[in-house]
C-alpha cells in the first residue's frame, strides 16, 4: 500500500480567537476521516491583540501536529503566508483562511485532485463553474473582478486558473518560491508567475459568509496589490525601462552636440546608447535572463533586440504617417498612437523572439 502524503496547512491569523479553536478541531477531523492523518498545521499569527496565538498554543500542547509562529512587530497577510510556506517540508502545502470562509471539506479535495492529476498547483476557485461567492457587497465583487482582469491582462502566467487571486490553494513540494515575498496578499499570483511551467488545476468551491470576526483587508491592501501586479508584469517592466531609455537617448545626444559632433552622429549615438541601456536592463530585470547561454547567445539577443526595435520604430513611423496622410490627424497625435503601437510590437517581438520563453 502506498502511504498517504504528508500535508502541511498554513493558516494566517489576525484576531480570529472566535474561529481558531473550531477551525483546528474541524480540520483535524476532516483530514483524519479522509486518510490524511499525517499532517501538520502552521498558524502564523501577527501577535493578535485578541490572543489568537494563546488559543493556538493551547491546541499545540494537546496535539503536536499544530504549530504556532507568533510574529511580533510585523504585520501582513502576504508575508505571513510566505513565512508559513517556508516552514513546510511536506509533500503538499495548503494555504487557507481561519474564518471558515474557505470550507473545510475542500481541503482534502485539493490533495486528491493534486494526486489524481499530478498537479503542481491546485487552486480552490470561486470563478470556476460550480464555484461562487456568498454575501459579498456589489462593490467588493467589482473590486475582485477588477483585480482579476488586471492579473489576466498583465501577468500571462495567471491565465492558467480561473481564480489567480484566490487565498485558498495547494502547492506541491518543489514548486519554486524564489522571489515570492508576499509584498501584497495575493501570494498565489506571485507563485504562478515564478512557476511558468507548473501544472495548474482548479477545484470550484463556494466562498462562504464570515460568521464571526471581521475582514482585515482594506483600501491599503488594494493599493499594495496594484503595485504588486505592476512589478510582476513583464509588460509593465518593459514600458518602465522604455521610459528610462528616453533621457539616456536625449542626454547622450545633447552631450555629443555640445562637444561639436555632427547632428546625425549625435542622434545615432544617442539611439544606440538607449538601445544598449534598454537591452541590458531587459536582460537583467524584465526577462531576468542572467546572461544565460554565455556571450554568444547574449550577442545574438543584442542583435535580435536591434531588429525588434527597428520593427517598433517602423511601426511608429508608419502609424504616424498613415494617420496624418489618410485621416488628416494631427501629426503629434499620430506620433503618440505610433509610440503606443510601436511599443506593443517591440514588446511582443522581444518576448517572442529575443528573450524566448526560458526566463
Ligand atoms: N498573520 C496575519 N497577518 N494574518 C492576517 C492578516 C495579517 O496582517 N490580515 C488578515 N489575516 C488573516 C485573517 O485572520 C484570515 O484568517 C485570513 O488572513 C484572511 O483575512 P480576511 O480579512 O478574512 O480576508 P478576506 O476574507 O477579506 O479576503 C479573502 O479573500 C480574498 C479574495 O478576494 C482572503 O482569502 C484573501 O487572501 C483573498 O485574496
Ligand atoms: Mn475572510
Amino acid at each position: 500500500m502506498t502511504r498517504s502524503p504528508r500535508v502541511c496547512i498554513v493558516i494566517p491569523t489576525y484576531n480570529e480567537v472566535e474561529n481558531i479553536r473550531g477551525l483546528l478541531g474541524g480540520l483535524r477531523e476532516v483530514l483524519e476521516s479522509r486518510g490524511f492523518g499525517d499532517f501538520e498545521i502552521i498558524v502564523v499569527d501577527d501577535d493578535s491583540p485578541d490572543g489568537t496565538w494563546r488559543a493556538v498554543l493551547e491546541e499545540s500542547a494537546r496535539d503536536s501536529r499544530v504549530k504556532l509562529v507568533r510574529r511580533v512587530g510585523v504585520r501582513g497577510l502576504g508575508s505571513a503566508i510566505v513565512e508559513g510556506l517556508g516552514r513546510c517540508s511536506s509533500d503538499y502545502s495548503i494555504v487557507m483562511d481561519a474564518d471558515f470562509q474557505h470550507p473545510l471539506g475542500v481541503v482534502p479535495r485539493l490533495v486528491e485532485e493534486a494526486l489524481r492529476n499530478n498537479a503542481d498547483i491546485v487552486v480552490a476557485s470561486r470563478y470556476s463553474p460550480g464555484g461562487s461567492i456568498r454575501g459579498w457587497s456589489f462593490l467588493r465583487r467589482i473590486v475582485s473582478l477588477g483585480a482579476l482582469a488586471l492579473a489576466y491582462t498583465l501577468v500571462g502566467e495567471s491565465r492558467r486558473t480561473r481564480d489567480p487571486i484566490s487565498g485558498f490553494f495547494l502547492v506541491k513540494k518543489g514548486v519554486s518560491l524564489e522571489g515570492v515575498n508576499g509584498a501584497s496578499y495575493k501570494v498565489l499570483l506571485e507563485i504562478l508567475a515564478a512557476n511558468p511551467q507548473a501544472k495548474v488545476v482548479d477545484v470550484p468551491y463556494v466562498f462562504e459568509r464570515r460568521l464571526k470576526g471581521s475582514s482585515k483587508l482594506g483600501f491599503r491592501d488594494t493599493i499594495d496589490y496594484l503595485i504588486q501586479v505592476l512589478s510582476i508584469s513583464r509588460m509593465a517592466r518593459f514600458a518602465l525601462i522604455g521610459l528610462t531609455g528616453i533621457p539616456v537617448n536625449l542626454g547622450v545626444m545633447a552631450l555629443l552636440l555640445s562637444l561639436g559632433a555632427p547632428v546625425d552622429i549625435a542622434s545615432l549615438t544617442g539611439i544606440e546608447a538607449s538601445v544598449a541601456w534598454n537591452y541590458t536592463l531587459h536582460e537583467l530585470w524584465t526577462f531576468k535572463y542572467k546572461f544565460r547561454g554565455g556571450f554568444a547567445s547574449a550577442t545574438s539577443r543584442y542583435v535580435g533586440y536591434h531588429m525588434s526595435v527597428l520593427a517598433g520604430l517602423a511601426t511608429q513611423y508608419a502609424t504616424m504617417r498613415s494617420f496624418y496622410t489618410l485621416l488628416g490627424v494631427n501629426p503629434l497625435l499620430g506620433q503618440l498612437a505610433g509610440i503606443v503601437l510601436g511599443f506593443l510590437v517591440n514588446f511582443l517581438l522581444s518576448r517572442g523572439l529575443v528573450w524566448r520563453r526560458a526566463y
Side-chain angles (χ1 to χ4, degrees), residues 21 74 112 140 166 172 197 254 272-273 289 294 296 298 300 306 313 324-327 335 344:
R21 280 195 198 86
V74 194
E112 284 155 10
R140 175 103 204 231
S166 175
K172 191 178 171 179
Q197 325 286 7
E272 185 56 34
Y289 244 65
S300 93
H306 273 80
L313 290 179
Y324 179 55
T325 316
L326 301 177
L327 305 172
Q335 183 84 345
L344 263 182

Side-chain angles (χ1 to χ4, degrees), residues 59-106:
E59 277 302 311
S60 76
R62 247 171 275 145
D63 183 342
S64 62
R65 293 173 295 185
V66 175
K67 296 179 175 92
L68 169 71
V69 178
R70 181 181 168 196
R71 307 195 304 171
V72 179
V74 194
R75 260 217 67 188
L77 174 50
S79 66
I81 292 171
V82 174
E83 171 106 38
L85 284 175
R87 289 171 190 248
C88 288
S89 55
S90 307
D91 306 305
Y92 294 106
S93 307
I94 293 173
V95 175
M96 71 182 298
D97 294 351
D99 54 5
F100 293 100
Q101 293 192 280
H102 296 161
L104 299 185
V106 178

